[in-house]
Amino acid sequence: MPCERKQLRYGHSEGHTEVCFDDTGKYIVTCGNDGDVRIWEGLDDDDPKFITVGEKAYSLALKKGKLVTASSNNTVQIHTFPDGDPDGILTRFTTNATHVAFNSSGSRVAAGSSDFMVKVVEVSDSSKQKTLRGHEAPVLSVTLDPKDEFLASASCDGSVVVWNIEEQTQLISWPLLQKTNDVSNAKSLCRLAWQPGTGKFLAVPVETKVQLYERGSWDHVSTLSDDLLTQPINVVAWSPCGTFLAAGSVGGSLTVWDVNSKLCVERQKHEKGFTVCGLAWHPSGSQIVFTDTEGCLSLLDGLNTSVSNTEHTKAPAKKPTKEYDDLFDDDDDDRLMDEGLSETNSPAKKPVTGDDDDDDDFLMPSTGRVRNRGAILDDENSLDTGSLRLGDDKFGDDDDTGSVVVPAAAKSVPLRPVYEGPMPTLPQKAFQPGSTPAHLTHRFLMWNSVGLVRGYNDEQDNAIDVEFHDTAVHHAMHLTNSLGHIMADLSQEAVLLACPGTDELASKLQCLHFSSWDTKKEWMVDLPQGEDARALCLGQGWAAVATNTLTLRLFSIGGVQREIFSLPGPVVCMSAHGEQLLIVYHRATGFDGEQALGVQLLQFGRRKKQLINGEPLPLSTRSYLSWLGFTAEGTPLLVDSDGVVRMLNRSLGNTWTPVCNTRETCKSKSDHYWVVGVHENPQQLRCIPCKGSRYPPTLPRPAVGILPFKLPLCQTSTEKGQMEEQYLRSALFHNHYSFLSSSGYEIDEDGQGQSQKEQQELLMKMFALSCKLEREFRCVELAEMMTQNVVTLAIRYASRSRRMALAQRLSEIALEKTNQIQEEEPEEPEEEPQYSRPTSRFGQSESTGGRYSSRHDQEEEEEQEEEIREEEDGQEMETEESTESRKRVNPFAKEAGSPVKPSLTPIGKAGRSNPFKVLGAGKPSAPSGQPRVTNILDNMTSSKKSAPLSGSAGKQSKGPVLKPLAPRPKTKTQSTLLQMTNTKSANKKTQQNTEPPAVQQKQAEVPPPASPAENTENKRPKTGFQLWLEENRKNIIADQPDLEETDVIKEAMGRFRTLSAEERLTWTERAKGQSGDAADLKKRKRAEGGAGGGAGGENENAEADENGAKKKKPLDPSSKLSAFAFNKN
């Protein structure tokens, strides 16, 4: 039964439609959601007559010049046909009628309603009506038996009932359907149909099959099914001869069965896959007309329903829905995937001639396969050219046996269809991101971060309004749209508009350059004949337009033609930001609902370059691109129809990372978010919520909402997952700093520093969590990602938690990171003395060495519990301190052991020395419990140069300006010790090199030295101003955080002068007193050292240091020493 599917045409507004032929077959009559009944003289009628019957028309029936309609005013009305004059109201219901049907003679009408009732009314006298009650839900469909005895109805209560009309009783009820509460929610309309003539069978569509019930016995006699039907059948209709049954389904499948043989003789698919909701046969049986839920109308033509033809169909050969000729035969046809081919342009439709003359008149079916292969003899010439040969040619199948028709002996074997592979997808049309569909009379041509362009095209006016979010950019504009522009883009400099070409006029590009400093604010360009603009965008100082000839044209903002190049495929959309141009195009045909898109990213700086060269664009499965653009900071983004937002990850080789799913925040399936802009700092997705739609209306002006970003990581409900998501997101959303700086833009140093601080804090929290979970390997992995200063913090935490093996490994990482910094940064002059104040929390056990070990157990127990509690309460204090410590110097300074040049290799134990060892005969050797701790420290060497301030990876490469470090107030003991070690280091040098490793324990006994700034000051007495500055520096910096070091000192001098004379005098005296104390202490210390009473002195020192530390930082009991050394000049 070869047939042709005609071109789809628009008939009614979106929603339920119905269709029928008149008795002669001359007219097609349709009704729809717009309340109109249209009368078409054939499918090509461009001006159908219409009758308005109400706000909505739910159903119609036509017989003997009477047109019956069910409309939204709860009535069933009659109109004359074809004049369309009202002819009265047939009956009324309490709610709307859902379906009406005539009997075969046209004397009666049956109507079903949402108020659960069915009525049968005489057309000649509407007072004669019978009411059938018994359904418990709205009625879906009704049908009258050709002999006028019975009526069948289907209802939302799940039942199909046969009634005796005269007695108004139920004969039988079958529970066949799924229960629903309303017709609009029903899976299927379940349109029932009696076989014409005898009324022998009642056809009931149930899910994907049609059940046939026999009249009288009401037994289920057979089922018509098709393997390729996957969605519920909506409507069924018998051919006028009663031999064939046509069915239309929810997915748009159209199937025709021969009822006698139960074989499927015709399969077609709706061009766009819309649900078929109306179906009718032409009185001649040669055509089927159908309508869909989107208001469209189409026709299957050329059906041959004479019985003789069906004798060939007895062999149960399956046929595929779509085959090779569907895929390839209509190359000359513009419709890409139109399976309804004309009779002429497919070789499969021509008669296939074999040697057997009887078969000369045998036509192949529309799918290009012989229905009964046994009908053609096994002969070299009789090839099934329509399917098999074509299949071999297209896919290069080597199996020759596939090309020969199976001989008659194999009649009973059903052969598999040749092509059951994926079907091509209709390519997505070109669109402007931020615009609403072009068919709307009032629409947004563009909504972006600069403003919005609205278009009006109705009877009164064809105009364009341009509004700016910031009116400082430009005032609003009203433009008459005489050229019919349908595309627009808007930037801080200009408005760009384009219109399509017509037969007479070329496609035009118009630019309103409102930021121009001269008086000519507008230019226009005609594209070459036959070239139409498909997409356009505005960058900084340039405009781009892509056309249907796969060409991209680049203009300067003033109208100079700058570049022209070809695109690899038809453009889908474009977007621009600054110097960047992002183009998305079709790189191939997609299959099974997928779009195969490619992306190019170009940068028009001083050196023009292509950053992404035609990579495939990732979308969700079976989705299409719905928005493309850049963040305010210049990172490309895309949104697909499933609501997934993907962002370009430049740090991972220009891959696309999903950063948000807008569907997760939608309340219902039909709600969507319409994206209008994106910011990375702060992280905001700006979009308009659309209820029950994909795009917003122009009026009232929609409100913009803000959605947060969330990476779809695993287990984000757990604390670990949340921190990982925050860290990854922070890293991704701050990539733009490095891109902008490499492109030569100025960047916000504070913002960058803040982002790196935030990332390091998150790493430290993750580290603490992994420590708590005893995942030490994971801790090391996290430490690899930290900056060197934060690793120091991690070492403290690890040793406090008594994880010495972990601390050992972390110290090696810290050493590596220090070496890397040293290699990256130029070395400083040799003379500068290098001291370091280690800021690591290297557990209590190391802080005071030998003396400490005696009361080690109980005290560490208490302090550690207190510390861990602090950590678990959220590392607020920790992170504050970490930023403090970043401002200090390298925790692993150079050993005194290498006199000439800083060496990067760790010195072996034998060659190591303790610069602060006080040699005394009576000193006991280190307790055996401690060696592992000091080995950790011994393995650390240090870089010549202190670590950068903020620990920022991004800034190191650019050589940041290091501000001088803030000196800190120190205890007397500290300064004494430093002065002492300066004077003693020379005569100690010889002893150090020979010192045995066992004695190195005592390295940990010494309190931390001060930073370089302090040490240089120690060589001469301090002034009162210096002391005052040390104590007040923090206040000054807090008041004015942006000051450079020199400005801080100037500000301090100003403030110091404002003090009263008495106050200044007290500061000066304090300074003198301090240097005097230091000198006395130094003498005493030397004497003690000489007499060999080193242990007592050290004890005293340690205690003094401990008290000092507590005074300085009451919050942090652990600011004790972990390890340190110093570099002699």
Side-chain angles (χ1 to χ4, degrees):
M1 192 188 281
C3 78
E4 179 186 6
R5 194 192 65 216
K6 298 285 191 188
Q7 183 72 35
L8 203 64
R9 67 168 303 155
Y10 178 75
H12 294 273
S13 64
E14 222 171 283
H16 176 72
T17 49
E18 277 201 16
V19 64
C20 67
F21 279 101
D22 74 324
D23 299 335
T24 62
K26 182 184 174 187
Y27 297 108
I28 298 171
V29 186
T30 60
C31 73
N33 236 7
D34 46 17
D36 287 346
V37 172
R38 292 180 197 270
I39 302 167
W40 314 72
E41 293 186 23
L43 196 65
D44 304 326
D45 183 358
D46 286 333
D47 188 20
K49 182 177 177 183
F50 70 91
I51 309 164
T52 302
V53 295
E55 272 184 39
K56 288 185 180 181
Y58 293 107
S59 180
L60 87 160
L62 176 60
K63 268 263 171 38
K64 305 269 173 76
K66 299 281 187 193
L67 174 69
V68 174
T69 53
S71 66
S72 51
N73 55 6
N74 307 346
T75 61
V76 176
Q77 340 174 20
I78 298 191
H79 288 79
T80 60
F81 183 84
D83 305 327
D85 301 325
D87 197 13
I89 289 174
L90 205 56
T91 184
R92 277 190 167 84
F93 291 97
T94 54
T95 65
N96 57 291
T98 52
H99 191 211
V100 292
F102 266 109
N103 63 354
S104 52
S105 64
S107 61
R108 281 178 168 180
V109 171
S113 160
S114 289
D115 63 8
F116 313 174
M117 299 223 279
V118 178
K119 290 184 180 179
V120 182
V121 190
E122 297 290 333
V123 175
S124 55
D125 181 3
S126 60
S127 61
K128 293 181 181 172
Q129 48 179 279
K130 296 188 163 56
T131 305
L132 309 174
R133 292 182 174 85
H135 282 301
E136 294 167 7
V139 178
L140 287 168
S141 77
V142 291
T143 178
L144 283 158
D145 157 36
K147 294 184 177 176
D148 265 8
E149 293 174 38
F150 307 117
L151 178 142
S153 61
S155 162
C156 292
D157 59 16
S159 66
V160 173
V161 177
V162 178
W163 311 78
N164 183 315
I165 298 171
E166 292 309 313
E167 296 171 14
Q168 299 178 33
T169 55
Q170 287 191 15
L171 290 175
I172 188 157
S173 173
W174 298 290
L176 297 172
L177 314 174
Q178 204 171 327
K179 291 186 180 182
T180 51
N181 59 357
D182 187 46
V183 178
S184 57
N185 300 330
K187 268 192 173 178
S188 157
L189 293 172
C190 191
R191 295 286 198 242
L192 312 170
W194 290 97
Q195 188 177 22
T198 59
K200 184 182 177 187
F201 295 121
L202 171 65
V204 184
V206 181
E207 291 292 330
T208 59
K209 299 181 174 66
V210 180
Q211 315 274 22
L212 294 183
Y213 290 87
E214 193 173 27
R215 175 198 178 88
S217 69
W218 309 117
D219 292 334
H220 174 225
V221 286
S222 62
T223 300
L224 303 176
S225 64
D226 181 21
D227 295 345
L228 293 156
L229 276 176
T230 54
Q231 289 182 284
I233 293 173
N234 233 358
V235 285
V236 294
W238 290 87
S239 64
C241 63
T243 314
F244 297 95
L245 185 73
S249 76
V250 170
S253 297
L254 292 154
T255 315
V256 181
W257 287 278
D258 177 345
V259 178
N260 300 328
S261 63
K262 302 189 190 60
L263 286 181
C264 177
V265 293
E266 184 58 59
R267 291 190 192 85
Q268 287 286 349
K269 185 92 169 93
H270 188 292
E271 187 179 314
K272 294 194 171 146
F274 296 153
T275 295
V276 175
C277 57
L279 194 66
W281 287 80
H282 190 274
S284 70
S286 61
Q287 293 181 333
I288 295 178
V289 65
F290 62 91
T291 56
D292 59 46
T293 51
E294 299 292 320
C296 299
L297 167 75
S298 187
L299 190 73
L300 300 184
D301 197 5
L303 295 154
N304 183 358
T305 54
S306 63
V307 185
S308 61
N309 188 46
T310 63
E311 287 169 8
H312 288 291
T313 64
K314 297 289 185 275
K318 285 189 192 171
K319 305 181 314 173
T321 8
K322 302 146 193 161
E323 307 208 357
Y324 277 124
D325 36 344
D326 296 350
L327 281 170
F328 305 110
D329 273 349
D330 58 4
D331 290 345
D332 50 348
D333 196 337
D334 286 340
R335 306 191 299 271
L336 173 84
M337 120 186 188
D338 191 350
E339 302 94 33
L341 301 165
S342 68
E343 295 283 354
T344 51
N345 70 352
S346 165
K349 307 300 188 305
K350 294 169 187 153
V352 178
T353 49
D355 284 358
D356 189 347
D357 293 336
D358 297 344
D359 287 307
D360 281 0
D361 60 345
F362 176 73
L363 279 172
M364 293 184 63
S366 67
T367 49
R369 301 200 58 238
V370 182
R371 224 177 277 109
N372 181 358
R373 291 171 180 268
I376 301 176
L377 294 175
D378 183 16
D379 183 305
E380 282 305 309
N381 303 324
S382 28
L383 300 177
D384 185 355
T385 52
S387 57
L388 298 166
R389 187 48 86 195
L390 187 58
D392 297 347
D393 293 348
K394 289 293 175 187
F395 283 98
D397 192 345
D398 299 331
D399 188 1
D400 287 335
T401 53
S403 64
V404 183
V405 172
V406 181
K411 198 179 211 173
S412 60
V413 181
L415 279 169
R416 290 193 66 74
V418 177
Y419 184 69
E420 288 185 331
M423 296 311 300
T425 311
L426 274 169
Q428 176 178 358
K429 286 185 181 146
F431 71 99
Q432 283 291 98
S435 69
T436 53
H439 64 78
L440 302 170
T441 51
H442 289 207
R443 60 182 285 245
F444 290 113
L445 274 72
M446 174 56 62
W447 184 319
N448 61 18
S449 54
V450 179
L452 48 111
V453 182
R454 276 204 203 93
Y456 305 96
N457 184 7
D458 45 29
E459 291 79 26
Q460 298 89 34
D461 202 6
N462 189 352
I464 289 175
D465 282 349
V466 182
E467 281 180 47
F468 296 85
H469 301 315
D470 178 5
T471 47
V473 176
H474 198 268
H475 58 78
M477 294 187 271
H478 180 81
L479 317 167
T480 53
N481 188 9
S482 51
L483 291 168
H485 292 302
I486 59 166
M487 273 174 272
D489 197 12
L490 183 62
S491 76
Q492 302 274 359
E493 303 173 302
V495 183
L496 188 65
L497 302 160
C499 63
T502 61
D503 296 340
E504 301 83 36
L505 295 168
S507 177
K508 286 182 169 57
L509 192 67
Q510 184 179 5
C511 180
L512 305 172
H513 182 202
F514 54 75
S515 67
S516 166
W517 48 263
D518 68 0
T519 53
K520 299 283 187 194
K521 307 272 187 194
E522 186 179 329
W523 54 268
M524 196 181 293
V525 168
D526 281 11
L527 295 177
Q529 195 60 39
E531 198 169 318
D532 260 11
R534 287 280 186 264
L536 48 83
C537 62
L538 281 166
Q540 194 175 346
W542 53 270
V545 58
T547 67
N548 59 340
T549 57
L550 309 190
T551 308
L552 191 132
R553 298 173 179 276
L554 201 67
F555 298 84
S556 74
I557 199 75
V560 181
Q561 299 188 54
R562 294 278 293 277
E563 301 283 348
I564 177 170
F565 61 91
S566 288
L567 295 171
V571 71
V572 176
C573 62
M574 299 198 301
S575 186
H577 180 280
E579 297 173 345
Q580 300 177 83
L581 172 62
L582 188 64
I583 311 161
V584 171
Y585 56 87
H586 289 287
R587 59 187 170 84
T589 300
F591 282 86
D592 276 355
E594 304 287 350
Q595 296 287 338
L597 305 180
V599 61
Q600 286 187 347
L601 179 60
L602 295 104
Q603 193 172 359
F604 306 120
R606 289 198 197 97
R607 287 177 57 241
K608 297 183 176 67
K609 54 186 174 184
Q610 192 162 353
L611 304 178
I612 301 179
N613 180 9
E615 300 291 320
L617 190 72
L619 298 172
S620 307
T621 49
R622 293 174 182 271
S623 72
Y624 55 86
L625 183 65
S626 60
W627 189 84
L628 181 78
F630 288 86
T631 63
E633 292 78 6
T635 307
L637 258 106
L638 66 95
V639 186
D640 62 32
S641 55
D642 284 3
V644 179
V645 183
R646 291 180 176 81
M647 183 166 158
L648 188 73
N649 187 350
R650 298 189 199 268
S651 63
L652 194 60
N654 288 339
T655 49
W656 296 85
T657 303
V659 290
C660 176
N661 187 350
T662 60
R663 302 291 295 137
E664 286 176 359
T665 44
C666 290
K667 290 192 175 67
S668 90
K669 275 188 179 175
S670 58
D671 294 354
H672 294 85
Y673 281 96
W674 195 67
V675 177
V676 292
V678 184
H679 292 264
E680 290 178 74
N681 193 13
Q683 293 176 17
Q684 288 180 350
L685 182 66
R686 300 169 62 77
C687 46
I688 295 170
C690 305
K691 275 233 174 289
S693 167
R694 282 194 175 271
Y695 49 84
T698 51
L699 290 170
R701 180 167 174 164
V704 178
I706 290 173
L707 289 183
F709 288 100
K710 185 184 178 188
L711 272 60
L713 263 56
C714 305
Q715 296 179 315
T716 44
S717 53
T718 64
E719 195 182 357
K720 169 180 174 282
Q722 280 167 7
M723 287 184 201
E724 288 167 342
E725 191 272 336
Q726 285 171 8
Y727 173 76
L728 259 180
R729 180 154 45 85
S730 177
L732 176 64
F733 276 80
H734 293 104
N735 280 341
H736 65 268
Y737 285 120
S738 52
F739 171 74
L740 291 174
S741 59
S742 66
S743 302
Y745 289 98
E746 283 184 15
I747 57 169
D748 173 16
E749 300 272 340
D750 294 342
Q752 188 177 17
Q754 187 59 38
S755 75
Q756 280 152 355
K757 176 186 170 190
E758 177 188 300
Q759 287 163 35
Q760 296 301 318
E761 282 177 12
L762 283 163
L763 284 172
M764 195 59 215
K765 287 180 183 177
M766 282 146 72
F767 179 89
L769 184 68
S770 302
C771 259
K772 232 180 343 184
L773 300 172
E774 300 184 359
R775 297 262 179 198
E776 296 198 2
F777 188 89
R778 192 181 289 164
C779 290
V780 173
E781 288 178 323
L782 289 165
E784 295 280 2
M785 296 149 77
M786 295 175 181
T787 58
Q788 183 234 353
N789 290 301
V790 184
V791 176
T792 315
L793 206 63
I795 293 174
R796 265 193 214 180
Y797 189 93
S799 49
R800 165 108 26 82
S801 314
R802 287 173 159 180
R803 303 190 186 283
M804 292 309 163
L806 176 58
Q808 169 78 50
R809 285 186 183 279
L810 294 180
S811 63
E812 289 165 16
I813 292 172
L815 176 62
E816 272 172 43
K817 287 186 182 291
T818 311
N819 292 346
Q820 280 169 12
I821 293 169
Q822 190 172 9
E823 284 162 20
E824 283 168 19
E825 295 179 4
E827 292 196 356
E828 298 213 342
E830 198 70 14
E831 303 85 71
E832 191 177 317
Q834 282 281 328
Y835 294 89
S836 73
R837 171 198 290 282
T839 56
S840 70
R841 289 190 167 176
F842 237 168
Q844 322 318 46
S845 54
E846 290 139 77
S847 53
T848 45
R851 173 197 63 76
Y852 189 74
S853 62
S854 56
R855 54 193 181 102
H856 171 265
D857 285 29
Q858 67 276 21
E859 191 177 296
E860 187 182 19
E861 214 74 54
E862 294 159 21
E863 287 204 63
Q864 185 157 337
E865 275 171 28
E866 189 184 325
E867 281 301 323
I868 298 297
R869 234 187 336 268
E870 273 176 45
E871 296 292 348
E872 286 169 354
D873 291 344
Q875 283 80 356
E876 293 311 308
M877 185 183 87
E878 183 88 75
T879 48
E880 273 171 37
E881 188 188 318
S882 77
T883 51
E884 278 279 322
S885 61
R886 279 181 218 167
K887 291 179 188 141
R888 301 180 211 151
V889 227
N890 191 344
F892 309 106
K894 186 80 188 69
E895 264 84 8
S898 59
V900 188
K901 192 168 175 238
S903 143
L904 294 180
T905 48
I907 305 162
K909 285 186 188 173
R912 237 172 221 285
S913 56
N914 182 347
F916 301 103
K917 164 97 172 53
V918 181
L919 290 174
K923 178 75 191 167
S925 66
S928 55
Q930 297 286 309
R932 186 170 168 196
V933 177
T934 36
N935 291 349
I936 299 170
L937 311 174
D938 290 347
N939 288 344
M940 298 179 192
T941 64
S942 136
S943 87
K944 186 89 186 76
K945 190 165 191 296
S946 57
L949 288 176
S950 65
S952 69
K955 284 192 198 166
Q956 286 167 13
S957 55
K958 280 170 273 169
V961 182
L962 288 175
K963 298 179 184 174
L965 298 167
R968 298 170 57 83
K970 46 191 179 305
T971 55
K972 288 180 185 177
T973 344
Q974 269 179 300
S975 43
T976 322
L977 188 66
L978 287 161
Q979 287 168 7
M980 173 193 86
T981 47
N982 272 341
T983 51
K984 288 181 79 176
S985 57
N987 56 356
K988 259 173 108 181
K989 175 122 185 273
T990 47
Q991 299 166 351
Q992 284 169 350
N993 292 339
T994 54
E995 182 181 81
V999 199
Q1000 286 174 22
Q1001 266 310 344
K1002 295 166 198 158
Q1003 191 172 353
E1005 295 167 10
V1006 194
S1011 62
E1014 296 170 310
N1015 281 302
T1016 47
E1017 284 165 16
N1018 279 335
K1019 291 174 184 167
R1020 56 183 178 277
K1022 284 203 174 180
T1023 63
F1025 168 71
Q1026 280 173 312
L1027 266 184
W1028 181 86
L1029 173 61
E1030 282 172 13
E1031 293 208 2
N1032 291 279
R1033 168 184 292 275
K1034 276 187 184 172
N1035 301 341
I1036 294 170
I1037 291 175
D1039 293 349
Q1040 297 169 322
D1042 300 327
L1043 290 181
E1044 290 294 320
E1045 181 59 17
T1046 50
D1047 299 333
V1048 171
I1049 291 166
K1050 279 181 192 166
E1051 173 70 19
M1053 282 174 157
R1055 292 194 189 187
F1056 189 72
R1057 286 195 191 105
T1058 59
L1059 298 176
S1060 65
E1062 291 82 20
E1063 281 175 297
R1064 281 200 295 245
L1065 196 63
T1066 52
W1067 280 105
T1068 315
E1069 278 166 16
R1070 274 173 67 180
K1072 282 179 187 166
Q1074 190 171 4
S1075 55
D1077 290 355
D1080 292 348
L1081 225 141
K1082 186 154 73 173
K1083 284 176 195 162
R1084 192 168 75 229
K1085 180 77 183 176
R1086 265 205 205 114
E1088 278 170 8
E1098 276 170 46
N1099 240 348
E1100 192 179 309
N1101 257 342
E1103 245 127 55
D1105 177 51
E1106 224 167 47
N1107 297 339
K1110 278 173 186 157
K1111 272 178 217 157
K1112 270 191 285 183
K1113 231 183 184 181
L1115 268 177
D1116 180 12
S1118 74
S1119 289
K1120 296 170 192 164
L1121 173 66
S1122 66
F1124 101 99
F1126 95 88
N1127 178 13
K1128 177 180 177 301
N1129 47 352

